[in-house]
Amino acid sequence: MDFNYTPAETEFRMSLRRWLDEALPGGWGDTVFEPEDEDERAQFRLRWDRQLHSGGWSGINWPKEYGGRGATLIERAIFAEEMARARAPEGINIIGHNLAGPTILRYGTEAQKKRFLPKIISSAEVWCQGFSEPNAGSDLASVRTKATRQGDKFIVSGQKVWTSFAQYSQWCFALVRTDPDAPKHKGLSFLLIDMQSPGITIRPLRQISGESEFNETFFDDVEVPAENVVGEINDGWRIAMTTLAYERGPEDALGRQIRFQQELDKLLETAASLPAGGGRVIDDAVLRQRLGRSITEVQLMRLNSLRSFSKYASGAERGPDASVLKLYWSHAAQRLYETALDALGPEAPLAGQDPRAAAAGRFQLSYLQSKAFTIYSGSSEIQRNIIGERVLGLPR
Amino acid sequence: MNFAFDEEQKKLGEAVERLLADFPRLADPDPANAREKGVWDALAELGLFALLPPESQGGLGLSLVDAALPVEALGAGLAPLSVAATLAATDVISQFGTPAQQNAWLPAIASGEMRISAAISEAGAGYGLSDIKTRIGSGKLTGTKILVPDAEDASHFLVLARLDPKPALAIVAKNSNGLSIRAHEDIDPSSGLCELNFKEVALNDSAIIASEAAAQRHQDVSATIYAGLQIGIAARMLATAVDYARMRVQFGQQIGAFQAIKHRCADMAVMLEAGRSAAYYAFWAAAEDAPDRSLASSMAKAYCGEAARDSCNETIQIHGGMGFTWELGLHRHLRRAKILEHSFGGCAWHYERVLAATLAEIRSVKSKQRSAA
């Protein structure tokens, strides 16, 4: 056990730090922010993804032969820390980088790796995820979108939902039913679908936060080449579980942890300066307890992630243990935002541009967004089933 | 960067776990029966007390990180608390003792001859170092300590006291003139908690570690070791709950198949793993004397205290009526968890310390930024 970094790891960190200093616009995070308009923001994030790639900071721990940097998982963790330290923008191609790429690397054919990975790394192609359906949410294995084999292609028909960034994506990986007669987990395949294909319709869905990151995606007799199946036909469930282990894994958790840390620091500054009655918000003993616990919990998200990175770096398979990470951070983060709004007192509802809003109205949107944390990438109830059955060995 | 234990470290933890399993009375439903005399000698023979002293003093010169998994096993196995207290005393003597003190004490600790309990708490003084009234003056120690674990079995006490007027530590033999001991009546008789009255106990300078930094380190390291014990309890409770949920049948099926039970177990597992992250990091921060040593110890002690408490509560609940029986013995872990929770700072005290330290850090960063600008 050692939390010190090797000279090589430190050099990696410093060289990224130098690059970020150059790459980010002056005043970034203080006076210069992301565009407020959603579409402009998406384009801004896409440009940032591509800028990272041209600087050599994309596909950090992917093999060099597919355009990656060939760095270690620990350096991947350092990357997440430094991006956050610089308050760097998020990318738009998160699903490509964190889900599609690792799944293709793990189960794809050589031809698939060569075709898809370099364009994920360069963000020439942005990805979305076609798993959930209106009648297959927590019960994911009951997806009905069917893919019927016709010669060297599949004809795909059905509806996916909660497809984040579909409107910006060139590709979608989807869980589709290839054998309607097999038991429900046994008739699924993992299919890569070109979003330019005829027959695809995207309809935005508005979220609690008022934003429209996610969509309904309709497939009407969409033709997909049979070579776009990842792994064996009808073995898609197993592959999708790997994808979900990546989605719930330490790369994702650490990236988020750093955002939460920034919000928490801002919250502490706000609470220490905001007047309340004759004193300051921070004087309240109950609030102090909740803040002390949130500071601890945000730090533990980081330490949980580092433990997972170390475990996977030494060769352990990714599996149901990722659900422990996800269940932990999602609830801890929700508590943080509940505490944030409580701390603001009577002005808590004032948001955005209102001149009376505390901390420039930043916590209200985050609070609303946080409601999704315990639902997406598997609801907390599903995570608890997975932990109970597959980590602890309780009966189904 | 590597947040994992190596094979040797894991083996050490497993060895302590196996050793304690050879003393089934440690987990006897009646806490009064749980005071196994042979455990101390067996742990000494295993080499547990030789872990921390340097090789020149008859030890192995290992670090607190090497002690983390053994400590977790001590917690799970309800080992005598003087074992943990002796490890914390060893650390502070190794770090702050004079060469003469180290020569006098460390070889005797390594061999298991010195059994050092911790005399820290005082009635009405809370958890901080600042309200301690026991004092050292004119070569005499005077004051009253409460909640001293295993006092009857200890050979020595590490005493927190004031010395002109700063906190300091003293090592006092149990057979010193002027020291009287009274057993408490309390919720966990297996902890052997006693009140100690020091009435002008003669004290040589050679018995005193006159350093406020030593007292602070002792508190941090003790809190970290107790967090490790608490995580051991949480782990043992989860394993017990899962075993029972797989075996117990109601409504025609194993109760572990019900989500009402399964989800409680999953939440315990999440808390346990987060608690491990907190405790293990605190052991490392203490071993390295990292700048965030105190902060890490507070995070660990607060969070692991909650994890141990919640795990005991949930496990009793999952066992239903059996869980509330004396005979099943789950109350042993509950009782021990309460003793641990209220030693070396309770959850609320440590969360407040986490907040205060973090606010101070933010202020210091701000003022540095201002002076740079």
Side-chain angles (χ1 to χ4, degrees):
Chain A
M1 188 180 299
D2 189 1
F3 288 85
N4 295 308
Y5 292 91
T6 64
E9 287 165 349
T10 303
E11 174 46 34
F12 176 91
R13 183 188 294 278
M14 296 321 288
S15 120
L16 174 56
R17 203 173 280 184
R18 284 190 297 273
W19 184 85
L20 282 167
D21 274 347
E22 293 281 316
L24 288 167
W28 176 256
D30 293 321
T31 52
V32 180
F33 301 97
E34 286 191 322
E36 286 194 17
D37 177 81
E38 268 191 81
D39 284 324
E40 285 175 36
R41 195 191 312 157
Q43 294 312 315
F44 177 87
R45 290 183 176 189
L46 179 60
R47 282 197 300 279
W48 176 246
D49 268 331
R50 291 179 178 167
Q51 200 178 342
L52 278 170
H53 169 252
S54 54
W57 301 105
S58 187
I60 300 291
N61 56 314
W62 295 10
K64 288 183 177 168
E65 55 183 312
Y66 307 117
R69 197 182 171 95
T72 65
L73 262 183
I74 302 306
E75 286 164 328
R76 175 66 183 76
I78 293 171
F79 173 78
E81 286 183 351
E82 286 302 312
M83 293 292 282
R85 183 177 174 278
R87 287 175 285 183
E90 291 174 44
I92 191 84
N93 200 16
I94 307 168
I95 292 171
H97 285 286
N98 290 352
L99 279 67
T103 306
I104 293 168
L105 253 178
R106 177 82 171 76
Y107 289 111
T109 61
E110 194 52 37
Q112 287 169 339
K113 291 179 194 174
K114 288 209 170 87
R115 162 64 189 81
F116 292 107
L117 295 178
K119 290 191 173 179
I120 292 173
I121 291 174
S122 68
S123 290
E125 292 173 346
V126 174
W127 285 71
C128 63
Q129 174 181 20
F131 277 14
S132 293
E133 296 180 5
N135 288 305
S138 286
D139 184 11
L140 180 62
S142 64
V143 295
R144 290 184 199 164
T145 295
K146 64 176 197 287
T148 313
R149 184 74 182 255
Q150 274 187 12
D152 60 356
K153 36 182 200 265
F154 284 101
I155 308 299
V156 179
S157 286
Q159 181 192 351
K160 294 291 178 181
V161 73
W162 327 132
T163 31
S164 297
F165 313 121
Q167 66 272 50
Y168 309 115
S169 294
Q170 284 70 48
W171 283 86
C172 174
F173 58 85
L175 198 56
V176 294
R177 187 155 303 281
T178 36
D179 184 352
D181 301 322
K184 68 178 184 176
H185 293 83
K186 308 278 184 191
L188 299 168
S189 297
F190 194 98
L191 199 56
L192 310 180
I193 302 175
D194 183 345
M195 291 296 281
Q196 317 300 320
S197 312
I200 297 179
T201 312
I202 298 165
R203 265 211 316 247
L205 286 167
R206 203 159 185 212
Q207 302 153 205
I208 282 180
S209 59
E211 301 162 299
S212 295
E213 218 167 57
F214 62 27
N215 303 275
E216 299 178 283
T217 306
F218 300 88
F219 299 86
D220 295 308
D221 294 333
V222 174
E223 292 188 6
V224 180
E227 70 206 38
N228 285 9
V229 172
V230 176
E232 299 297 317
I233 292 173
N234 295 330
D235 194 26
W237 181 254
R238 191 168 66 96
I239 292 163
M241 290 304 100
T242 301
T243 309
L244 290 174
Y246 279 103
E247 184 173 14
R248 298 161 186 163
E251 290 88 350
D252 180 77
L254 189 60
R256 292 167 185 282
Q257 186 271 342
I258 286 154
R259 301 279 160 194
F260 298 142
Q261 183 75 61
Q262 290 166 6
E263 299 257 279
L264 174 60
D265 290 348
K266 186 73 195 169
L267 173 61
L268 290 169
E269 282 176 35
T270 304
S273 59
L274 201 63
R280 306 273 166 199
V281 164
I282 197 73
D283 302 334
D284 181 80
V286 174
L287 184 68
R288 291 178 77 85
Q289 281 294 303
R290 292 172 63 188
L291 288 170
R293 195 170 202 270
S294 274
I295 294 167
T296 303
E297 288 181 327
V298 171
Q299 167 72 348
L300 296 188
M301 288 178 201
R302 172 171 171 268
L303 293 172
N304 280 345
S305 300
L306 294 180
R307 265 175 83 210
S308 285
F309 270 119
S310 298
K311 188 170 147 194
Y312 299 144
S314 68
E317 271 287 327
R318 290 180 188 243
D321 54 320
S323 292
V324 175
L325 280 184
K326 200 266 171 172
L327 193 54
Y328 183 77
W329 74 251
S330 57
H331 287 274
Q334 283 185 346
R335 278 192 290 275
L336 168 63
Y337 290 112
E338 292 288 351
T339 302
L341 287 210
D342 279 356
L344 301 182
E347 287 98 333
L350 300 177
Q353 303 300 315
D354 191 286
R356 301 274 180 207
R362 65 183 287 161
F363 295 117
Q364 289 76 13
L365 182 62
S366 300
Y367 166 75
L368 292 170
Q369 288 170 337
S370 76
K371 298 296 113 190
F373 295 167
T374 50
I375 300 169
Y376 59 44
S377 94
S379 68
S380 295
E381 289 66 32
I382 292 300
Q383 309 296 352
R384 291 188 182 107
N385 282 350
I386 292 170
I387 295 167
E389 291 159 19
R390 294 172 59 207
V391 177
L392 300 176
L394 289 168
R396 296 177 67 87
Chain B
M1 216 297 301
N2 177 26
F3 193 178
F5 292 102
D6 63 30
E7 288 310 310
E8 288 299 308
Q9 289 165 333
K10 288 180 196 164
K11 275 185 200 156
L12 216 49
E14 287 159 14
V16 172
E17 187 184 345
R18 274 196 308 274
L19 183 150
L20 295 176
D22 288 341
F23 294 92
R25 275 175 54 192
L26 285 175
D28 192 286
D30 188 345
N33 288 338
R35 303 187 56 72
E36 283 261 22
K37 294 287 182 203
V39 179
W40 179 270
D41 290 341
L43 288 168
E45 197 175 322
L46 183 72
L48 182 67
F49 305 110
L51 268 188
L52 298 175
E55 287 179 45
S56 58
Q57 305 285 2
L60 298 165
L62 297 177
S63 86
L64 279 170
V65 173
D66 300 292
L69 294 178
V71 165
E72 189 173 320
L74 293 171
L78 300 172
L81 288 178
S82 49
V83 177
T86 299
L87 292 174
T90 312
D91 172 79
V92 81
I93 292 166
S94 303
Q95 302 283 332
F96 286 92
T98 62
Q101 287 173 332
Q102 295 187 355
N103 288 332
W105 295 329
L106 290 177
I109 288 171
S111 67
E113 189 188 321
M114 267 179 97
R115 183 169 182 170
I116 309 174
S117 185
I120 309 295
S121 298
E122 297 180 6
Y127 292 121
L129 299 180
S130 56
D131 290 322
I132 292 297
K133 294 197 171 63
T134 297
R135 61 190 172 77
I136 302 166
S138 318
K140 305 244 192 283
L141 174 70
T142 299
T144 301
K145 294 288 180 181
I146 59 173
L147 298 157
V148 180
D150 284 341
E152 305 280 9
D153 296 333
S155 68
H156 292 77
F157 301 102
L158 180 149
V159 185
L160 173 67
R162 284 185 174 287
L163 176 68
D164 323 310
K166 293 197 152 120
L169 301 173
I171 302 285
V172 181
K174 188 173 72 177
N175 57 13
S176 302
N177 285 328
L179 168 56
S180 57
I181 298 178
R182 173 186 77 82
H184 284 300
E185 189 171 327
D186 64 87
I187 60 169
D188 182 24
S190 77
S191 291
L193 299 177
C194 292
E195 177 173 311
L196 268 57
N197 188 264
F198 299 89
K199 194 174 175 193
E200 300 193 340
V201 172
L203 215 54
N204 283 332
D205 281 356
S206 64
I208 302 169
I209 302 174
S211 157
E212 189 174 2
Q216 189 56 62
R217 180 173 173 93
H218 180 261
Q219 185 183 43
D220 291 348
V221 168
S222 297
T224 295
I225 288 176
Y226 271 48
L229 297 173
Q230 287 168 328
I231 267 317
I233 287 184
R236 179 61 54 85
M237 287 295 92
L238 174 60
T240 305
V242 167
D243 283 349
Y244 187 72
R246 293 165 66 162
M247 181 268 285
R248 171 72 171 166
V249 173
Q250 287 285 271
F251 303 100
Q253 62 175 324
Q254 297 152 284
I255 62 168
F258 293 113
Q259 288 183 330
I261 302 295
K262 186 181 291 178
H263 289 189
R264 278 171 188 267
C265 292
D267 284 336
M268 286 164 72
V270 170
M271 251 200 141
L272 171 63
E273 291 309 322
R276 281 184 164 141
S277 296
Y280 298 163
Y281 179 74
F283 274 99
W284 182 84
E288 297 287 310
D289 208 20
D292 61 347
R293 182 197 77 202
S294 295
L295 180 63
S297 76
S298 280
M299 287 184 175
K301 182 63 169 54
Y303 191 85
C304 298
E306 292 187 334
R309 177 210 291 168
D310 289 2
S311 300
C312 290
N313 293 344
E314 294 289 39
T315 300
I316 289 171
Q317 180 69 23
I318 286 168
H319 281 75
M322 281 303 293
F324 190 64
T325 61
W326 183 264
E327 277 74 18
L328 193 67
L330 290 177
H331 62 107
R332 287 292 317 285
H333 289 83
L334 177 75
R335 288 167 186 273
R336 181 58 68 86
K338 272 290 162 226
I339 302 300
L340 300 176
E341 190 182 328
H342 293 280
S343 306
F344 299 107
C347 298
W349 188 82
H350 279 291
Y351 279 136
E352 170 61 31
R353 195 163 170 244
V354 167
L355 179 74
T358 307
L359 290 173
E361 172 71 18
I362 289 174
R363 274 195 301 274
S364 129
V365 170
K366 287 254 158 212
S367 86
K368 269 182 210 147
Q369 281 170 348
R370 266 198 302 275
S371 59

